[in-house]
Amino acid sequence: MPDDSRVRRHAGAGLGLFLALVLGAVLLTAFPEEDDDREGACAPRTVSSWAAEPDLTGEFARYGDDASRADDWTGGDGTHSVRLPDGRVLWLFSDTYLGNVYGPPNPVGESYAWRDQNTPLVRNSAVVMSDGRLQSTLPAPLFPDPAPGQWRWPVAAKVEARSPGSSDKVVRVLLWTRANGTYPWIYGVPTATEVATLSLPDLRVEGIVKVLDQQQVREPEQRVLFGTTAVTEDENWTYVFGGDDAQAASRPASKAYVARVPRDRLAEPDAWEYWDGGRWSAISSRMKPVLGDGQRKGVGSAFTVARDGGTWMLFTMAAGSEGLTTVTSYWACSPTGPWYGPTKGFSPPLPEQKGEVAAYNPQVHPALGGRLVLSYDVNWLDATGTTAQSNLSRNVSLYRPRFVTLKLGSG
């Protein structure tokens, strides 16, 4: 994610998943002996090539620009997705613009579609896609604020059995809760990880359970929120990754953590186990990072993890100024590491306002199937916080996800 000293958003709104992630930049030279490329074996991996996905990126532009309804999604960040049993794809977003979009020219004569700069944001939203076409926005915000001055950002989601052994399916959505804070907590103070249950097929919120309360952790920079990504390895476990908040702690890189949960039990706090550096523990206070030294190695709070055979791949923005434009990756043979990298990065397309916008929040989308698709969000760089809102409103195409397809090769 962008160099956070340069990124600000709409005052009081945060505009999503804290454009704050400055990541590790040292390439480790020690790799495990396992370098077998046989199918299913763990071997070093890196991104060998990538290609833009203009059709998918364009679909979000089409839907966002559609002015037929005023309560539809017109832009957002924190892009996550999950495929539903009936084939639809549910897209989840954090801070979101609804309202109206108007065709060009904008009020200052530029050839951009635009919205009124006083258009309010909602803290989260969900959009339903069917057969590759976005169809509707669920009533927003989908997940209500837990209390005044607090809000919920949806992150990873999984379809599970309502209870182990049940044939009834539901959607579990991991939520980050945050509370208003003063500088340096301009994107809110982390408070808890929750899990919401959505009914199927109507996607109604049935309930929300707190699985990890972090308010008793005295130093906010040591609080860990889980759900930046969730990967099911086999029939037994779902691995849920999380991170702390380095930017607000004046550290250049966040640390990555991992928990595991038995299949179909994401909404059961007592079923969660946390990696403590040597084994899995039910005691969350014992958890230890699996990646990151807080300095030159590490991740952003919104990294993403996928599997390629026996290799685990972690994608995140690069360190330092490259974090404004460049995605890099780490790899491991286990979710608990050791993680190797970062490997050579790549810079996906950005809008024409180069030097004024930044990419952040890379996320893989297994819901799209058949290929490794990664999204990234775009926002306006602003050191003062006074112009981001107006710039995102005068050009509505900025604050929307973009997509690329990746091919992996030997590291």
Side-chain angles (χ1 to χ4, degrees):
M1 287 196 178
D3 181 340
D4 307 84
S5 65
R6 300 177 56 194
V7 178
R8 298 294 184 268
R9 306 178 192 165
H10 174 47
L15 289 179
L17 294 171
F18 28 93
L19 308 179
L21 310 178
V22 180
L23 311 173
V26 173
L27 178 63
L28 300 184
T29 57
F31 294 96
E33 294 179 358
E34 300 155 288
D35 58 358
D36 194 335
D37 271 338
R38 292 173 300 176
E39 184 177 357
C42 177
R45 287 287 184 269
T46 188
V47 175
S48 60
S49 65
W50 61 272
E53 283 273 353
D55 291 344
L56 191 53
T57 299
E59 176 59 16
F60 280 87
R62 179 204 66 80
Y63 184 76
D65 288 347
D66 186 348
S68 61
R69 291 177 55 183
D71 60 349
D72 272 349
W73 181 97
T74 64
D77 72 353
T79 310
H80 292 78
S81 65
V82 59
R83 181 168 290 275
L84 306 179
D86 60 8
R88 294 176 298 164
V89 175
L90 179 66
W91 293 89
L92 297 162
F93 294 92
S94 296
D95 289 351
T96 300
Y97 286 107
L98 303 176
N100 290 306
V101 167
Y102 306 97
N106 66 14
V108 294
E110 298 169 319
S111 57
Y112 302 136
W114 58 284
R115 68 171 69 84
D116 190 302
Q117 66 177 348
N118 295 318
T119 300
L121 287 95
V122 293
R123 286 299 194 178
N124 57 75
S125 67
V127 183
V128 178
M129 174 181 277
S130 181
D131 296 325
R133 191 170 177 85
L134 296 167
Q135 303 285 348
S136 61
T137 301
L138 300 181
L142 181 60
F143 308 103
D145 293 345
Q150 300 182 23
W151 63 90
R152 292 176 165 121
W153 282 335
V155 280
K158 287 284 184 182
V159 174
E160 288 193 334
R162 181 176 293 279
S163 59
S166 172
S167 60
D168 187 18
K169 300 294 185 180
V170 295
V171 181
R172 309 289 192 198
V173 181
L174 287 132
L175 305 171
W176 290 348
T177 66
R178 299 179 78 87
N180 289 335
T182 58
Y183 184 85
W185 301 97
I186 58 176
Y187 308 116
V189 178
T191 60
T193 301
E194 299 178 320
V195 174
T197 297
L198 303 183
S199 60
L200 286 170
D202 56 345
L203 299 171
R204 178 177 54 85
V205 178
E206 295 186 344
I208 297 175
V209 175
K210 187 177 294 185
V211 297
L212 183 62
D213 191 340
Q214 291 284 273
Q215 294 182 86
Q216 301 307 311
V217 178
R218 183 173 179 178
E219 300 298 332
E221 64 269 18
Q222 296 179 8
R223 298 176 181 179
V224 178
L225 298 184
F226 281 91
T228 183
T229 192
V231 181
T232 301
E233 181 184 26
D234 50 36
E235 292 302 314
N236 298 317
W237 298 99
T238 296
Y239 292 89
V240 185
F241 291 83
D244 57 22
D245 199 340
Q247 185 251 352
S250 299
R251 289 187 277 111
S254 293
K255 297 177 181 178
Y257 298 77
V258 65
R260 69 175 187 178
V261 190
R263 287 286 295 267
D264 301 326
R265 298 181 67 185
L266 277 172
E268 300 178 32
D270 292 341
W272 283 59
E273 298 178 353
Y274 306 87
W275 185 250
D276 69 3
R279 63 186 181 88
W280 297 102
S281 172
I283 303 173
S284 61
S285 61
R286 294 179 179 174
M287 62 182 165
K288 296 291 189 298
V290 296
L291 173 61
D293 58 9
Q295 300 300 319
R296 301 181 66 191
K297 295 184 296 181
V299 299
S301 296
F303 60 93
T304 188
V305 178
R307 295 192 66 204
D308 181 47
T311 303
W312 295 69
M313 290 287 297
L314 184 154
F315 301 94
T316 190
M317 301 306 294
S321 61
E322 284 189 323
L324 303 172
T325 60
T326 304
V327 178
T328 191
S329 61
Y330 293 80
W331 67 273
C333 295
S334 164
T336 61
W339 288 90
Y340 299 94
T343 64
K344 182 180 179 181
F346 68 97
S347 296
L350 282 172
E352 62 186 20
Q353 294 91 347
K354 292 182 179 179
E356 297 176 317
V357 296
Y360 63 106
N361 185 39
Q363 290 292 320
V364 295
H365 295 279
L368 299 178
R371 62 200 195 281
L372 182 57
V373 176
L374 182 139
S375 69
Y376 57 101
D377 299 328
V378 173
N379 212 320
W380 191 268
L381 293 172
D382 179 16
T384 67
T386 59
T387 63
Q389 171 78 351
S390 61
N391 283 311
L392 294 178
S393 295
R394 72 181 177 90
N395 180 0
V396 298
S397 70
L398 296 179
Y399 192 56
R400 291 171 177 171
R402 277 120 171 115
F403 298 86
V404 294
T405 297
L406 308 181
K407 290 187 177 180
L408 303 180
S410 299

